[in-house]
Amino acid sequence: MTKAGGKGGSLRDKLDGNELDLSLGNLNEVPVKELAALPKATILDLSCNKLTTLPSEFCGLTHLVKLDLSKNKLQQLPADFGRLVNLQHLDLLNNRLVTLPVSFAQLKSLKWLDLKDNPLDPVLAKVAGDCLDEKQCKQCANKVLQHMKAVQADQERERQRRLEVEREVEKKREAKQRAKEAQERELRKREKAEEKERRRKEYDALKASKREQEKKPKKETNQAPKSKSGSRPRKPPPRKHTRSWAVLKLLLLLLLFCVAGGLVACRVTELQQQPVCTSVNAIYDNALQGLRSHEILQWVLQTDSQQ
């Protein structure tokens, strides 16, 4: 037999008032569902079976007041064994337990405990002592509860210490991250300021270049009179009658062109037989003879050759 009662009815047959005896049943598994259906069974005897573990669901049997698990092969109790808050009497004689779960400290109603014949941790074994009579078993329950409360407090302090260390590590990490982000922001800010300064210098240089280019023509125009006023080169002395002679020569040239045109017309064309051309030709011949001997013409020719 590996499990007591395939049906809930078979467990009810074994129920005697509020006591349920499942001892000596060769059980290697606890019928938790069937037991949960019998809340009246506040006293449960599972001794002398082949139980090696208890399922976590077993801790939901909070109606249990007295529990006998002696002479099994239990190596450990469920982590939430402390949920059995109504438990007053617990027999764990002759199992394979080394330690008890920390939640054992929550069994505030526990008044009787037997841990004999278990390979207990030396510290726990010393605290538990012997359970040879009622008084010793009650002392065992009290001392073990106090010990487990101390263990629970130590573990809570250790947990708090680890949490504090983790918080400190997290704070340092966050501070480092903030410092890194601040450094990156400062770097970006500095790079941005440097970029602005570079662009400002480029803009100023461009403006200066434009102003320099705008000033160059003005300097050149201003330098021309300065060179005249500064160096003041001596003007060549004006020649007397230069303009008068130029006008006179221009008039003479025009007159000569007109006369030459008329002479050509009167000498070459058919107009030379006309009375006008006859007179013109006569005047031309006389003027030519007079000019050849005239001193004024010779002086004009000499002046032209000198200029």
Side-chain angles (χ1 to χ4, degrees):
M1 179 177 181
T2 61
K3 187 173 180 180
K7 299 181 181 180
S10 61
L11 291 182
R12 286 192 177 91
D13 295 340
K14 296 180 180 182
L15 183 60
D16 183 10
N18 62 345
E19 297 183 15
L20 181 61
D21 187 1
L22 298 179
S23 62
L24 299 171
N26 201 28
L27 299 177
N28 56 21
E29 184 179 350
V30 179
V32 177
K33 292 183 178 180
E34 291 82 354
L35 291 174
L38 298 173
K40 291 183 179 181
T42 58
I43 299 175
L44 177 62
D45 188 355
L46 289 169
S47 63
C48 302
N49 282 291
K50 298 179 180 180
L51 301 176
T52 57
T53 59
L54 296 177
S56 59
E57 293 81 6
F58 183 85
C59 301
L61 304 177
T62 57
H63 58 278
L64 292 178
V65 174
K66 183 177 180 179
L67 177 62
D68 190 351
L69 290 169
S70 61
K71 298 179 183 178
N72 279 282
K73 299 179 181 181
L74 294 173
Q75 298 179 4
Q76 62 181 7
L77 298 179
D80 52 352
F81 193 80
R83 291 173 57 193
L84 300 174
V85 292
N86 294 314
L87 195 61
Q88 298 179 14
H89 184 111
L90 177 61
D91 193 346
L92 292 171
L93 170 72
N94 194 13
N95 277 280
R96 299 178 182 178
L97 299 173
V98 177
T99 60
L100 297 175
V102 178
S103 65
F104 200 91
Q106 300 173 13
L107 300 177
K108 298 179 181 181
S109 301
L110 190 65
K111 304 299 181 183
W112 194 97
L113 177 63
D114 189 359
L115 287 172
K116 290 193 308 296
D117 298 332
N118 279 282
L120 296 175
D121 176 80
V123 176
L124 180 59
K126 185 177 180 180
V127 170
D130 294 327
C131 183
L132 301 176
D133 54 33
E134 189 75 11
K135 182 179 179 180
Q136 289 183 350
C137 291
K138 288 183 178 180
Q139 289 177 350
C140 176
N142 184 51
K143 290 180 180 179
V144 170
L145 282 179
Q146 295 300 322
H147 173 72
M148 295 309 299
K149 286 180 181 179
V151 171
Q152 186 180 44
D154 290 342
Q155 289 194 1
E156 180 63 21
R157 282 192 296 269
E158 180 63 20
R159 188 182 69 85
Q160 292 296 331
R161 188 190 67 80
R162 287 197 302 267
L163 289 176
E164 187 66 23
V165 170
E166 291 175 359
R167 281 195 292 266
E168 288 297 325
V169 171
E170 183 65 18
K171 285 180 181 179
K172 289 181 180 179
R173 189 191 66 79
E174 290 177 355
K176 187 176 180 180
Q177 182 66 21
R178 286 195 297 270
K180 182 180 178 181
E181 291 175 356
Q183 186 177 6
E184 290 176 353
R185 285 195 300 270
E186 186 64 24
L187 179 60
R188 288 194 297 268
K189 185 178 179 181
R190 185 166 61 250
E191 290 176 350
K192 193 173 183 179
E194 291 175 355
E195 179 65 17
K196 286 183 178 179
E197 182 66 16
R198 184 185 66 80
R199 294 190 181 186
R200 185 188 66 79
K201 288 182 179 179
E202 289 180 355
Y203 177 73
D204 292 344
L206 183 60
K207 285 183 67 176
S209 176
K210 287 183 179 179
R211 285 196 299 267
E212 190 66 24
Q213 291 178 359
E214 291 174 356
K215 287 180 180 179
K216 281 184 179 180
K218 293 181 181 179
K219 288 182 179 180
E220 291 176 356
T221 54
N222 293 333
Q223 286 175 359
K226 284 182 181 179
S227 62
K228 290 181 181 179
S229 61
S231 60
R232 290 184 180 180
R234 296 179 64 185
K235 294 181 180 180
R239 295 181 181 180
K240 294 181 179 181
H241 308 297
T242 301
R243 293 183 179 178
S244 300
W245 283 114
V247 173
L248 179 60
K249 286 190 286 184
L250 181 58
L251 292 174
L252 287 175
L253 287 173
L254 291 173
L255 179 60
L256 287 174
F257 281 131
C258 292
V259 172
L263 287 175
V264 171
C266 290
R267 285 182 173 273
V268 177
T269 64
E270 297 175 354
L271 296 175
Q272 61 183 348
Q273 301 300 328
Q274 297 295 327
V276 176
C277 287
T278 302
S279 300
V280 170
N281 289 331
I283 293 171
Y284 172 74
D285 292 336
N286 292 331
L288 184 60
Q289 291 177 0
L291 288 171
R292 286 176 181 174
S293 60
H294 204 283
E295 296 178 356
I296 295 175
L297 181 59
Q298 293 177 1
W299 182 77
V300 170
L301 294 173
Q302 290 175 1
T303 303
D304 289 339
S305 63
Q306 290 177 357
Q307 292 179 352

